């Protein structure tokens, strides 16, 4: 599968550049803040635990979508701005393959963000058996 | 067989015609130089031939393959060095080339070897593992050239290949390209503003102006197009009698330069022979230190052919007139 090389490059590029690292740090910070507020804030901590988990799951989904939209568009725009797209288009790889591989790398980062959210979900579901349903819901 | 063959290929952007119906052929194994002023359409032509830009009109054939129908196959047999290439700055030069080698589906061990060879060939072996971000302009150009050679192309498109390189680097790259052409039979399609390089390196030249191919052929063909007759350059020693001895020459003489010790002149009569000039100088007791035949160079041809249409007298002619008045008009200079 020669086309996986673009996927690998994109993924490596995400972690060598600001994109992937910043997303992971930002999302982990947001998860921490939201989980902390849900557990310690006077009003938020009064929420039913299932409702608390549902709110947290919604935040995970929204952040994932936001990251995907921004990362997908920047994956192509940075190639155009950096002048690297022309070289990529000169190779005998179909344009659709380039787009698919780039999209897959974005989805991979989404999965990483999702994996980061699992410990937070487990902590929020502490004392109940809602952790696995909440993880599966996301 | 033609390496490149275009049939009325053109590109328009709205009402602006960037390239206007170009038809020309480049034989396999030729080195073709495409020259022209900025904005003439050189890069657009190259991009259309390489398949990164779709032509508005006409088509072209690369090694017999139609660019409209067999784009993917063409990309496997060509290499293209764009004028400004982008890099993944976080990669090393070695990683960058390896990445492209894999995109061309070259097996890993072969790709590794090829990358090492190419880095060595373009003089970057010592910096192979340094991030591209730390490369100089010339080093990046070398790396881009190596990338364009990664798939062992049969036809190589080069847009300003020696841009940003030092003179030694330019010489090395020219030698490398020359070897590629002679040893591997690679057809080279070159676009550059370095006209001296084009006249020495290319066996055929195309001149593009306002999107139109205004001349195409060998350097001699272009000279013939302008009815250029061979002229003779003579440097004679200057003394008090020089002016009077040059007063009524049997040829059309143009004084090119006058110093304290010498007078440079150009004899530009048609069908003039060196022997006739030597005989005349002996009769006039003129002592010469230099005598050679000279032909119109590519710079002059380029300026003449690409002069603005509202300029009745070309820039070149204006320069010549100011520098080289006729003998009769300049006796005071002698």
């Amino acid at each position: 599968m020669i086309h996986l090389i673009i996927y690998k490059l994109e993924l490596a590029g995400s972690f060598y550049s600001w994109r992937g690292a910043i997303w992971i740090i930002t999302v982990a910070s947001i998860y921490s803040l939201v989980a902390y507020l849900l557990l310690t804030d006077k009003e938020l901590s009064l929420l039913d635990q299932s409702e608390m988990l549902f709110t947290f799951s919604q935040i995970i989904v929204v952040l994932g979508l936001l990251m995907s939209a921004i990362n997908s568009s920047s994956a192509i725009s940075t190639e155009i701005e950096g002048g690297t797209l022309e070289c990529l288009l000169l190779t005998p790889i179909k344009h659709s393959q380039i787009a698919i591989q780039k999209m897959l790398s974005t989805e991979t980062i989404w999965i990483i963000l999702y994996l980061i959210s699992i410990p937070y979900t487990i902590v929020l579901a502490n004392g109940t058996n809602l952790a696995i349903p909440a993880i599966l819901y996301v | 067989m033609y390496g490149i063959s275009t049939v009325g290929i053109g590109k328009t952007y709205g009402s602006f015609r960037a390239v206007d119906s170009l038809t020309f052929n480049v034989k396999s194994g030729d080195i073709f130089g495409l020259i022209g002023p900025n904005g003439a359409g050189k890069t657009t032509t190259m991009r259309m031939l390489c398949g990164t830009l779709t032509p508005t009109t006409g088509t072209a054939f690369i090694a017999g393959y139609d660019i409209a129908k067999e784009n993917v196959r063409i990309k496997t047999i060509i290499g293209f060095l764009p004028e400004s290439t982008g890099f993944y700055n976080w990669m090393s030069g070695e990683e960058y080339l390896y990445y492209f080698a894999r995109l061309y589906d070259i097996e890993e061990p072969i790709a590794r070897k090829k990358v090492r060879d190419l880095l060595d060939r373009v003089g970057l072996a010592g910096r192979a593992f340094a991030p591209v971000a730390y490369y100089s302009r010339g080093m990046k150009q070398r790396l881009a050239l190596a990338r364009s050679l990664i798939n062992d192309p049969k036809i190589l498109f080069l847009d300003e290949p020696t841009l940003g390189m030092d003179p030694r680097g330019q010489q090395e790259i020219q030698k490398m390209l020359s070897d590629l052409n002679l040893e591997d039979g690679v057809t080279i399609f070159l676009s550059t503003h370095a006209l001296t390089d084009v006249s020495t390196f290319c066996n055929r030249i195309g001149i593009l102006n306002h999107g139109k191919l205004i001349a195409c052929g060998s350097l001699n063909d272009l000279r013939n197009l302008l009815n250029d007759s061979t002229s003779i350059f003579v440097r004679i020693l200057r003394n008090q009698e020089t002016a009077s001895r040059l007063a009524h020459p049997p040829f059309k003489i143009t004084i090119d330069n006058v110093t304290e010790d010498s007078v440079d002149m150009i004899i530009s009569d048609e069908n003039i022979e060196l022997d006739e000039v030597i005989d005349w100088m002996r009769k006039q007791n003129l002592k010469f230190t230099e005598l050679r035949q000279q032909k119109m160079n590519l710079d002059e041809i380029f300026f003449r052919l690409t002069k603005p249409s509202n300029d009745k007298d070309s820039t070149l002619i204006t320069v010549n007139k100011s520098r080289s008045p006729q003998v009769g008009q300049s006796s005071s200079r002698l």
Side-chain angles (χ1 to χ4, degrees), chain B residues 211-230:
Chain B
K212 289 181 180 170
L213 191 69
I214 53 172
C216 188
S218 66
L219 191 56
N220 278 334
D221 291 340
L222 299 183
R223 286 187 183 121
N224 293 338
L225 193 74
L226 290 168
N227 297 319
D228 175 47
S229 55
T230 305

Side-chain angles (χ1 to χ4, degrees), chain B residues 127-310:
Chain B
R127 299 295 303 273
F129 301 104
V132 177
Y134 300 145
Y135 281 20
S136 68
R137 177 78 181 85
M139 287 163 75
K140 283 183 177 174
Q141 192 71 359
R142 285 166 187 261
L143 185 64
L145 184 62
R147 185 200 51 74
S148 67
L149 297 172
I150 199 78
N151 58 327
D152 293 325
K154 288 188 176 69
I155 298 165
L156 191 57
F157 293 88
L158 304 167
D159 199 355
E160 294 287 355
T162 51
L163 195 72
M165 283 188 187
D166 57 64
R168 188 181 296 278
Q170 290 181 19
Q171 206 174 38
E172 284 169 8
I173 295 302
Q174 279 171 10
K175 167 87 172 57
M176 193 184 102
L177 295 174
S178 190
D179 289 346
L180 273 172
N181 176 259
L182 290 171
E183 291 166 17
D184 304 333
V186 175
T187 308
I188 297 176
F189 189 97
L190 172 75
S191 166
T192 181
H193 291 297
L195 301 183
T196 315
D197 293 350
V198 173
S199 55
T200 54
F201 190 56
C202 302
N203 48 10
R204 289 188 71 235
I205 300 159
I207 302 180
L208 209 57
N209 195 21
H210 299 301
K212 289 181 180 170
L213 191 69
I214 53 172
C216 188
S218 66
L219 191 56
N220 278 334
D221 291 340
L222 299 183
R223 286 187 183 121
N224 293 338
L225 193 74
L226 290 168
N227 297 319
D228 175 47
S229 55
T230 305
S231 56
I232 295 169
F233 174 88
V234 187
R235 176 169 289 165
I236 55 170
L237 293 176
R238 188 182 173 206
N239 56 37
Q240 288 178 338
E241 295 166 352
T242 305
S244 59
R245 284 173 180 164
L246 289 175
H248 302 289
F251 326 105
K252 185 183 170 192
I253 291 181
T254 306
I255 302 297
D256 191 46
N257 193 28
V258 179
T259 65
E260 277 186 25
D261 308 321
S262 66
V263 178
D264 294 347
M265 54 190 194
I266 293 163
I267 301 170
S268 52
D269 261 2
E270 281 183 29
N271 305 321
I272 188 80
E273 295 294 333
L274 279 175
D275 293 344
E276 293 175 58
V277 177
I278 293 167
D279 286 345
W280 170 72
M281 284 195 294
R282 278 184 183 148
K283 280 177 193 166
Q284 296 297 318
N285 203 20
L286 292 166
K287 290 179 180 170
F288 64 91
T289 56
E290 197 175 334
L291 178 78
R292 61 182 151 86
Q293 279 192 315
Q294 63 176 26
K295 290 180 177 179
M296 191 184 275
N297 62 27
L298 188 59
D299 292 53
E300 291 168 314
I301 294 169
F302 177 82
F303 285 127
R304 283 203 186 177
L305 287 172
T306 59
K307 67 180 177 184
S309 54
N310 58 351

Side-chain angles (χ1 to χ4, degrees), chain A residues 77-88, chain B residues 82 84-87:
Chain A
S77 65
T78 48
E79 293 269 7
I80 296 169
E81 284 169 18
T84 48
L85 187 67
E86 188 169 24
C87 295
L88 209 54
Chain B
S84 53
T85 311
F87 297 91

Side-chain angles (χ1 to χ4, degrees), chain A residues 29-47 52 55-56 59 120 124:
Chain A
S29 305
I30 292 170
Y31 288 162
S32 301
L33 183 70
V34 171
Y36 178 77
L37 287 174
L38 285 170
L39 293 171
T40 60
D41 186 81
K42 279 182 184 174
E43 288 179 14
L44 289 173
S45 61
L46 293 174
L47 287 172
M52 202 185 278
T55 307
F56 189 68
I59 289 168
Y120 294 95
L124 285 174

Side-chain angles (χ1 to χ4, degrees), chain A residues 1-3 5-6 8-10 12-14 16-17 79 82-95 102, chain B residues 47 50-52 72 75-76 78 80-82 84-88 90-91 95-96 98-100 102-106 147:
Chain A
M1 278 291 285
I2 60 161
H3 303 136
I5 191 90
I6 296 175
K8 286 176 190 168
L9 173 99
E10 194 63 27
S14 294
Y16 278 117
S17 67
E79 293 269 7
T84 48
L85 187 67
E86 188 169 24
C87 295
L88 209 54
L89 296 178
L90 283 165
T91 61
I93 291 180
K94 288 180 182 171
H95 298 184
K102 283 185 175 289
Chain B
R47 284 185 171 154
C50 292
T52 57
V72 174
K75 283 174 181 174
T76 61
I78 64 163
F80 179 35
L81 171 65
S84 53
T85 311
F87 297 91
Y88 303 105
W90 49 271
M91 277 184 174
E95 285 169 337
Y96 179 76
Y98 178 71
Y99 171 61
F100 277 94
R102 296 292 291 131
L103 287 176
Y104 280 99
D105 204 14
I106 300 169
R147 185 200 51 74

